[in-house]
Amino acid sequence: MAANLRIKSINKRPALSDIVCQQIIDLIKDDELKPGDVLPCQDELATSLGVSKGSLREALVKLELKGFLQKEKGGSYRIRGLTDQRIADPFMDLMGEDPKLVWEVLEMAKILAVEAARIAASRAEEEDVRRLEEVLSRMKKTVGNKEYFRKEFVNIYTDFFRVLGEATRNNVFMHTLHTFNQMIREAMPLPVAALRGIPNIVETIYGQFRQISECIAQKRDAEAARQTRRHFEFIEDKLRRAVTTRASRRQAGR
């Protein structure tokens, strides 16, 4: 009986929203859109794509559900690291329950950042070096400015390693490092609070980042990796000393 059925092939054109989705995914794969990038406003994006705002909104919702985008408070959309949801979200919840995971996040971030610096030093282009310099300029403004430090230091710190990851020209590396950047951002309240009281801490970190950036600009890959490792070892040492001092003070006050 099935042989007598008059079945016609289905020639269904993809919905406009699916075409928009694929175009944005292709931009992410081709490294034209990077983790942390904010998409243009919806009016501008719809005009550029030649679609209605309704089709665009449908595409953005689909991409958000698939984990490619994250909707911000103001309604804009940010490119999400492809490993963010699977790795970062559970650990961010756990860090609230178990603060010692902060140390483990820093340890893993060090491993990734050291290798990123080594690769970036061999692959970075002039634009990458320029963007590192922009981050350094922002960090320099935090020196002696407590209010600017409070508001911007965490963003500036993680932006440095975001640019470093992008300079590797390796999409998997870039997205993985972005995920750990998000985890560092979540873990930062403890380190920042502990580091704030250390004399000249911002100047020291700025100097370390300056050395890393110069090594990358000069294509000195082994030295870039060494300076990055030195930075994380410095942070770990200062944090442990600060945490130990605080614990001792609390114990003495009982």
Side-chain angles (χ1 to χ4, degrees):
M1 182 171 179
N4 297 325
L5 292 175
R6 297 173 62 187
I7 298 176
K8 295 181 179 179
S9 62
I10 299 173
N11 185 20
K12 184 181 178 181
R13 295 179 61 188
L16 277 176
S17 60
D18 291 333
I19 296 174
V20 172
C21 282
Q22 190 57 53
Q23 186 167 143
I24 292 175
I25 290 171
D26 288 343
L27 290 170
I28 295 171
K29 289 193 298 184
D30 293 340
D31 201 22
E32 292 187 49
L33 285 174
K34 301 177 179 66
D37 284 353
V38 177
L39 291 179
C41 70
Q42 292 188 28
D43 286 344
E44 181 183 342
L45 194 54
T47 300
S48 299
L49 291 165
V51 299
S52 68
K53 285 197 288 185
S55 294
L56 175 63
R57 279 194 293 269
E58 186 179 342
L60 295 175
V61 170
K62 288 179 180 179
L63 289 168
E64 183 183 11
L65 291 172
K66 289 180 179 180
F68 289 98
L69 300 179
Q70 177 175 322
K71 191 171 185 179
E72 302 291 289
K73 288 182 179 179
S76 59
Y77 284 87
R78 187 180 297 274
I79 303 299
R80 192 165 191 171
L82 299 184
T83 55
D84 280 6
Q85 285 181 307
R86 292 181 178 86
I87 297 176
D89 289 352
F91 271 94
M92 287 177 181
D93 291 338
L94 285 172
M95 277 193 290
E97 301 294 329
D98 188 358
K100 75 179 177 62
L101 285 175
V102 171
W103 301 109
E104 296 178 8
V105 169
L106 288 173
E107 182 179 53
M108 191 63 198
K110 176 174 69 174
I111 293 169
L112 290 169
V114 167
E115 187 62 14
R118 185 187 68 78
I119 296 173
S122 63
R123 298 180 184 175
E125 299 176 357
E126 288 184 9
E127 176 64 15
D128 300 307
V129 175
R130 184 188 65 77
R131 292 173 66 210
L132 284 172
E133 285 297 322
E134 287 180 353
V135 176
L136 287 171
S137 295
R138 289 165 55 207
M139 176 168 280
K140 197 170 184 178
K141 291 179 182 178
T142 66
V143 176
N145 189 332
K146 292 182 179 180
E147 184 63 18
Y148 190 69
F149 174 90
R150 185 183 65 80
K151 289 182 177 179
E152 293 297 328
F153 182 78
V154 172
N155 293 329
I156 296 168
Y157 186 92
T158 53
D159 278 351
F160 183 85
F161 290 105
R162 176 178 59 81
V163 175
L164 200 65
E166 292 169 3
T168 66
R169 296 291 185 273
N170 182 311
N171 275 328
V172 175
F173 209 131
M174 178 177 66
H175 282 274
T176 303
L177 189 57
H178 175 75
T179 296
F180 274 90
N181 246 354
Q182 295 296 97
M183 294 166 71
I184 288 175
R185 192 184 294 268
E186 184 74 12
M188 268 296 191
L190 171 63
V192 169
L195 293 172
R196 189 180 292 135
I198 299 173
N200 303 317
I201 186 65
V202 179
E203 292 92 331
T204 302
I205 294 175
Y206 171 80
Q208 292 169 348
F209 280 13
R210 166 62 62 193
Q211 288 181 314
I212 295 167
S213 181
E214 288 176 356
C215 288
I216 290 171
Q218 296 164 7
K219 305 293 184 184
R220 297 161 58 202
D221 54 354
E223 186 63 14
R226 191 180 79 83
Q227 292 295 340
T228 305
R229 184 181 296 108
R230 180 169 167 263
H231 164 71
F232 276 94
E233 288 171 353
F234 168 81
I235 292 295
E236 288 171 352
D237 176 65
K238 292 299 182 184
L239 279 178
R240 291 189 189 281
R241 289 171 183 265
V243 169
T244 301
T245 299
R246 284 188 172 196
S248 299
R249 287 174 180 171
R250 284 198 300 268
Q251 188 70 26
R254 288 180 179 176

